[in-house]
């Protein structure tokens, strides 16, 4: 460990202590989501279960709420619900990472935990260099940097980052998000026998390569894994143009499903599908745990999204991670559902069965608060519109005639109403996790998900159901405790 590393870690801890009291005064601090102790959080990194313990690292800027030379913050958990803050895992202390320890992944090998990440370097003119770096740990807490293992291959710009490493058929593979010299987004794939010497195989491309030539100018945070008989490539493309209700955020996250030839890295795949329909979701990462579950966590944020307008900035922190979600694949569509362990946070339960709403807005006894899990099952809908209002700040609106489901909220930038939508065959169930300043809405057992931040007035805890016709439904509500 270098003197520079020790000093940066000390500086980060001093920033935490300096602003701890102010941070904790913020009414928008969440109860059961991972947040930074201070400063800015973005991409989840190094998500893994090792020796029974879940590790969640994350991009962290401890000194202010803007971006810069990122650290890796670190949490651990026995159950994916109750998380403990650990010692800062990585600091930008070496020449090959002096402008940031950027995103990456973790593997277990030879009774050690290995981290792979991007070292970001910029010169005085702002020109970028990127290196893929390895660090190792015998205890999962203290990491020794092993230096650069991959330098930039030919054919790509220096936007070459976010390595995800895994083992397949006795060999190690790495996918890296990148951009070619025609400024087109790509995912590069590399292979290794020993984790230190890597051979570049090419791009993860396939039958739709020509179709994808103009599909964004940069692809970030790739993740390639096997699920239910297929390979799934998750990626976050930048530069997609809005198409109807698709690609409405600044940048997107989504996936391709297909088959990979591991001798060449080539993937035959279908169309791109967005992972989330909400306002804030980006850079997801998955892991397979000891139960064989493929679990995803994303950043509840989006780059270049007027971050200075978030009201938490005045309290010296910004952003959070999503809840962990189990992935399943059905007819080449990913379904996402919150991990079952979250039920351990449930407190008081309120049940309303066979609730009939007729051309009115109603509230239900004890269905209110700022931190809850809500389950709604629709039995019959004879109406043009059905909606749920959350704390007079966000509304979920369903129109059966078109199948359109829309989430509206008041913008934290200008307080005007903004919306995101998707189209369903039908709406049967909603599972909603509301924290003090977030919404995660799982539709039809994970068929679609809306993930968003929201900043309602602290004193308004109302949940209101409404329709212009007749709706019959069951409503279950649980108060949610702190993680």
């Amino acid at each position: 460990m270098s003197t520079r590393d020790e000093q940066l870690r000390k500086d980060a801890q001093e920033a935490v202590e300096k602003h701890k009291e102010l941070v904790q005064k913020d009414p928008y601090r969440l109860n059961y989501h991972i947040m930074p102790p201070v400063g800015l959080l973005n991409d989840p990194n190094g998500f893994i279960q090792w020796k029974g313990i879940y590790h969640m690292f994350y991009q962290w800027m401890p000194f202010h709420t803007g971006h810069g030379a990122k650290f890796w913050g670190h949490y651990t958990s026995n159950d994916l619900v109750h998380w403990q803050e650990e010692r800062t895992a990585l600091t930008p202390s070496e020449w090959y990472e002096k402008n940031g320890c950027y995103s990456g992944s973790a593997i277990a090998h030879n009774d050690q935990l290995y981290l792979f990440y991007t070292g970001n370097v910029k010169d005085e003119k702002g020109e970028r260099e990127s290196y893929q770096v390895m660090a190792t740990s015998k205890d999962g807490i203290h990491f020794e940097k092993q230096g650069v293992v991959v330098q930039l291959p030919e054919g790509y710009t220096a936007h070459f980052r976010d390595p995800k490493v895994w083992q397949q058929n006795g060999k190690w593979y790495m996918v890296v998000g990148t951009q070619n010299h025609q400024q087109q987004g790509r995912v590069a794939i590399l292979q290794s026998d020993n984790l230190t010497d890597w051979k570049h195989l090419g791009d993860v491309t396939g039958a739709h390569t020509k179709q994808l030539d103009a599909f964004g100018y940069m692809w970030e945070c790739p993740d390639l894994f096997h699920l239910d008989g297929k390979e799934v490539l998750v990626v976050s493309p930048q530069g997609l143009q809005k198409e109807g209700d698709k690609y409405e955020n600044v940048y997107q996250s989504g996936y391709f499903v297909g088959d990979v030839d591991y001798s060449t890295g080539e993937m035959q795949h279908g169309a791109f599908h967005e992972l989330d329909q909400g306002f804030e979701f980006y850079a997801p990462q998955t892991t397979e745990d000891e139960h064989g579950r493929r679990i995803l966590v994303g950043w509840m944020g989006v780059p270049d999204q007027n971050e200075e307008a978030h009201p938490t900035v005045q309290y010296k922190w910004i952003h959070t991670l999503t809840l962990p979600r189990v992935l399943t694949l059905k007819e080449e569509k990913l379904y996402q559902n919150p991990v079952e362990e979250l039920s351990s946070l449930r407190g008081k339960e309120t049940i309303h069965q066979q609730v009939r709403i007729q051309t009115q807005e109603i509230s239900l006894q004890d269905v209110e608060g700022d931190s809850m899990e809500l389950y709604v099952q629709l039995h019959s809908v004879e109406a043009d519109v059905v909606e749920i209002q959350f704390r007079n700040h966000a509304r979920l609106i369903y129109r059966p005639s078109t199948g359109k489901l829309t989430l509206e909220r008041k913008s934290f930038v200008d307080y005007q109403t903004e919306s995101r939508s998707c189209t369903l065959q039908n709406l049967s169930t909603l599972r909603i996790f509301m924290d003090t300043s977030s919404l995660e809405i799982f539709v039809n057992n994970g068929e679609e998900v809306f993930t968003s931040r929201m900043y309602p007035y602290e004193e308004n805890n109302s949940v209101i159901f409404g329709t212009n016709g007749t709706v019959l439904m069951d409503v279950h509500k649980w108060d949610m405790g702190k993680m």
Side-chain angles (χ1 to χ4, degrees):
M1 184 186 303
S2 69
T3 302
R4 173 68 172 159
D5 181 83
E6 292 176 354
Q7 185 60 53
L8 285 171
R9 188 172 281 107
K10 179 181 177 182
D11 292 345
Q13 189 56 42
E14 287 178 353
V16 171
E17 295 301 322
K18 178 180 179 180
H19 298 297
K20 179 185 295 183
E21 186 175 346
L22 179 61
V23 169
Q24 295 304 323
K25 286 181 179 179
D26 188 358
Y28 295 129
R29 287 291 280 183
L30 297 130
N31 289 319
Y32 54 95
H33 287 77
I34 289 177
M35 301 170 289
V38 70
L40 178 142
L41 166 153
N42 58 305
D43 304 0
N45 295 155
F47 184 26
I48 193 172
Q49 187 182 23
W50 184 56
K51 296 185 177 181
I53 303 297
Y54 294 95
H55 293 258
M56 179 63 72
F57 305 86
Y58 61 92
Q59 292 281 275
W60 183 34
M61 168 44 67
F63 306 124
H64 51 78
T65 55
H67 295 270
K70 299 292 177 59
F71 293 54
W72 273 34
H74 186 195
Y75 281 93
T76 59
S77 175
N78 293 313
D79 59 3
L80 290 169
V81 177
H82 302 90
W83 294 91
Q84 175 178 313
E85 185 183 352
E86 302 289 359
R87 182 176 185 267
T88 302
L90 299 174
T91 71
S93 60
E94 306 296 332
W95 68 266
Y96 49 74
E97 60 189 9
K98 69 183 183 71
N99 296 107
C101 298
Y102 276 19
S103 292
S105 57
I107 61 164
H109 181 57
N110 288 342
D111 203 37
Q112 292 190 83
L113 191 61
Y114 286 65
L115 302 183
F116 293 85
Y117 63 98
T118 298
N120 185 49
V121 177
K122 292 182 180 179
D123 64 19
E124 294 77 8
K125 297 180 180 179
E127 295 295 321
R128 183 190 301 268
E129 297 175 4
S130 57
Y131 304 93
Q132 310 317 306
V133 183
M134 183 173 72
T136 58
S137 174
K138 295 180 180 179
D139 63 3
I141 303 297
H142 301 84
F143 289 88
E144 294 292 331
K145 294 173 183 174
Q146 306 300 326
V148 176
V149 294
V150 175
Q151 300 210 34
L152 181 67
E154 292 184 6
Y156 305 110
T157 73
H159 290 285
F160 188 85
R161 54 182 175 266
D162 314 331
K164 179 67 187 292
V165 177
W166 76 101
Q167 192 172 36
Q168 181 88 17
N169 301 325
K171 293 185 179 294
W172 296 100
Y173 291 88
M174 174 191 294
V175 285
V176 183
T178 186
Q179 175 189 73
N180 65 20
H181 288 298
Q182 289 72 49
Q183 309 236 316
Q184 299 161 340
R186 290 291 184 267
V187 170
I189 186 165
L190 301 92
Q191 184 187 83
S192 175
D193 294 322
N194 57 13
L195 294 174
T196 55
D197 302 303
W198 291 88
K199 175 186 177 183
H200 176 226
L201 298 180
D203 295 340
V204 183
T205 56
H208 297 272
T209 303
K210 292 182 180 179
Q211 174 186 332
L212 295 181
D213 274 348
F215 201 74
Y217 58 78
M218 173 67 196
W219 287 8
E220 293 193 308
C221 302
D223 193 345
L224 182 60
F225 53 87
H226 190 80
L227 184 65
D228 299 330
K230 288 286 187 179
E231 265 82 37
V232 180
L233 174 64
V234 170
V235 69
S236 295
Q238 298 182 332
L240 302 188
Q241 300 301 309
K242 182 180 181 300
E243 296 179 16
D245 292 329
K246 297 195 299 184
Y247 316 146
E248 291 200 274
N249 290 336
V250 179
Y251 304 126
Q252 329 304 324
S253 294
Y255 62 95
F256 302 97
V257 177
D259 299 288
V260 173
D261 180 347
Y262 281 94
S263 65
T264 64
E266 183 174 334
M267 183 179 190
Q268 305 293 323
H269 58 80
F272 179 81
H273 300 280
E274 286 185 272
L275 271 165
D276 198 279
Q277 307 298 332
F279 294 92
E280 281 87 27
F281 182 89
Y282 195 72
Q285 186 169 112
T286 76
T287 193
E288 184 177 52
D289 75 353
E290 294 169 3
H291 303 290
R293 300 179 297 181
R294 179 60 59 174
I295 303 173
L296 175 148
V297 172
W299 169 31
M300 205 183 298
V302 180
D304 303 330
Q305 191 214 28
N306 293 305
E307 288 175 319
E308 68 282 353
H310 283 261
T312 65
V313 166
Q314 64 182 307
Y315 291 93
K316 305 299 182 182
W317 75 280
I318 187 171
H319 297 315
T320 180
L321 298 183
T322 70
L323 296 175
R325 306 165 180 184
V326 176
L327 300 181
T328 54
L329 190 64
K330 301 178 183 179
E331 298 181 351
E332 301 201 356
K333 179 175 178 60
L334 281 180
Y335 282 65
Q336 306 171 63
N337 281 290
V339 294
E340 60 185 10
E341 289 91 334
L342 286 164
S343 62
S344 67
L345 289 178
R346 289 174 176 172
K348 178 184 175 182
E349 181 179 13
T350 301
I351 301 175
H352 294 274
Q353 293 184 312
Q354 301 293 302
V355 177
R356 186 179 298 275
I357 309 175
Q358 291 182 299
T359 319
Q360 61 182 327
E361 292 184 347
I362 66 168
S363 58
L364 301 174
Q365 185 175 354
D366 291 330
V367 180
E368 61 181 9
D370 64 1
S371 182
M372 69 174 69
E373 178 187 348
L374 193 64
Y375 181 77
V376 179
Q377 183 174 9
L378 295 171
H379 295 300
S380 65
V381 177
E382 297 177 4
D384 296 322
V385 177
V386 182
E387 68 174 52
I388 307 174
Q389 298 180 29
F390 304 99
R391 304 182 67 189
N392 196 35
H393 192 87
R395 293 196 307 163
L396 188 65
I397 306 163
Y398 177 55
R399 294 176 174 85
S401 61
T402 61
K404 182 164 284 194
L405 184 65
T406 299
L407 178 65
E408 291 184 351
R409 74 169 179 193
K410 295 175 182 177
S411 166
F412 55 79
V413 177
D414 58 15
Y415 221 61
Q416 298 300 304
T417 299
E418 54 185 351
S419 67
R420 298 288 185 269
S421 299
C422 67
T423 301
L424 308 169
Q425 291 293 324
N426 69 292
L427 177 61
S428 58
T429 62
L430 297 166
R431 191 175 178 192
I432 301 164
F433 288 82
M434 182 167 64
D435 210 337
T436 51
S437 58
S438 70
L439 273 176
E440 288 168 87
I441 302 171
F442 297 86
V443 182
N444 291 345
N445 297 313
E447 176 186 350
E448 302 289 354
V449 187
F450 288 79
T451 301
S452 297
R453 299 301 300 277
M454 66 173 192
Y455 300 106
Y457 290 120
E458 186 179 358
E459 62 274 12
N460 192 321
N461 290 324
S462 64
V463 177
I464 297 173
F465 302 85
T467 181
N468 66 348
T470 301
V471 174
L472 185 64
M473 63 183 179
D474 293 342
V475 177
H476 290 236
K477 177 250 184 177
W478 296 268
D479 294 333
M480 292 291 276
K482 293 189 176 183
M483 72 178 194

